[in-house]
Amino acid sequence: MDDTLDTRTGWPQDLKFLIARYPREAWPGHANLGQTARFWLARHDGFRELGRALAGATAEFRAGGVAPRAFQGWFAPRLQHFLSQLHEHHQVEDFHYFPVFRAAEQRLAAGFDVLERDHEAIHAAILATVQSANEFLQSLDDADARFAGDRYAEASEKLLRQLLRHLADEEDLIVPVILDRSEEALGIG
Ligand SMILES: [Fe+2]
Ligand SMILES: [Fe+2]
């Protein structure tokens, strides 16, 4: 099974038996999609949105469309917020939610192993992004700002790519469990 975040294209057949019964189209109108699941999905959408906004702002700055200080003022607090919230989100999943779902549906245990490894890979990508962002922000006025910008863009694009894959697969594994069992029965309502 190809479980690396950089190359996989979704879950293998043996982990798809629940998503086959609860396809994405059926989620929004399903009675078991409760408050917790809705909040969690909205949180994921927030990460997608902010991740794309940060990437868009970086591309615009690097194309010369924004002054360095204006860019830094917009960008630095949002990146910090994005990365710290993401880290916290993963902690809550690793220690609170994954154990609940793993116990409820042991046939999906291999999927939760993959998701936990994703969190480790994403954590490494966050650290690389922080380091390259600091170098980038410190060099905004320097002649070599472009190179620091290239390094940051590379690190943050990798992070965003990995994150988008992870969010989609995580939802495909977890939401069907919630719909199948209900939040009340799982004790997460
Ligand atoms: Fe996650
Ligand atoms: Fe998540």
Side-chain angles (χ1 to χ4, degrees):
M1 169 183 171
D2 182 4
D3 64 6
T4 66
L5 204 40
D6 291 313
T7 49
R8 80 172 185 254
T9 55
W11 294 113
Q13 212 52 44
D14 59 331
L15 294 176
K16 279 185 176 168
F17 59 92
L18 268 190
I19 183 85
R21 270 162 57 197
Y22 302 97
R24 276 185 177 260
E25 310 81 79
W27 297 359
H30 199 288
N32 282 352
L33 193 77
Q35 288 296 319
T36 303
R38 287 175 195 277
F39 175 80
W40 181 73
L41 287 170
R43 199 99 176 93
H44 278 187
D45 283 341
F47 287 127
R48 289 178 173 105
E49 203 176 302
L50 186 50
R52 288 189 177 116
L54 288 163
T58 305
E60 195 187 341
F61 171 70
R62 296 178 70 225
V66 194
R69 295 297 148 209
F71 171 73
Q72 185 175 30
W74 184 91
F75 176 83
R78 282 170 182 78
L79 180 69
Q80 197 185 24
H81 177 78
F82 177 68
L83 297 177
S84 68
Q85 292 293 302
L86 192 54
H87 181 65
E88 192 188 303
H89 177 76
H90 289 172
Q91 298 276 101
V92 172
E93 289 178 340
D94 283 338
F95 297 110
H96 182 62
Y97 286 111
F98 288 0
V100 170
F101 300 127
R102 193 191 277 274
E105 188 45 271
Q106 287 166 24
R107 292 171 298 170
L108 295 180
F112 288 100
D113 292 342
V114 170
L115 293 177
E116 282 174 1
R117 285 199 292 276
D118 285 358
H119 286 178
E120 287 168 22
I122 291 170
H123 187 67
I126 287 175
L127 296 181
T129 299
V130 169
Q131 193 184 342
S132 62
N134 285 336
E135 288 166 10
F136 179 36
L137 292 171
Q138 278 158 20
S139 74
L140 285 182
D141 297 322
D142 301 351
D144 66 348
R146 233 198 63 217
F147 301 106
D150 289 344
R151 284 194 295 274
Y152 168 72
E154 205 177 298
S156 59
E157 277 163 18
K158 179 177 176 176
L159 171 62
L160 185 61
R161 214 170 41 239
Q162 291 186 331
L163 179 64
L164 294 176
R165 178 79 257 159
H166 172 72
L167 293 173
D169 291 345
E170 190 170 79
E171 291 167 1
D172 283 349
L173 198 73
I174 287 176
V175 173
V177 179
I178 294 175
L179 299 187
D180 195 56
R181 306 297 168 88
S182 87
E183 293 184 0
E184 293 69 34
L186 290 164
I188 59 163

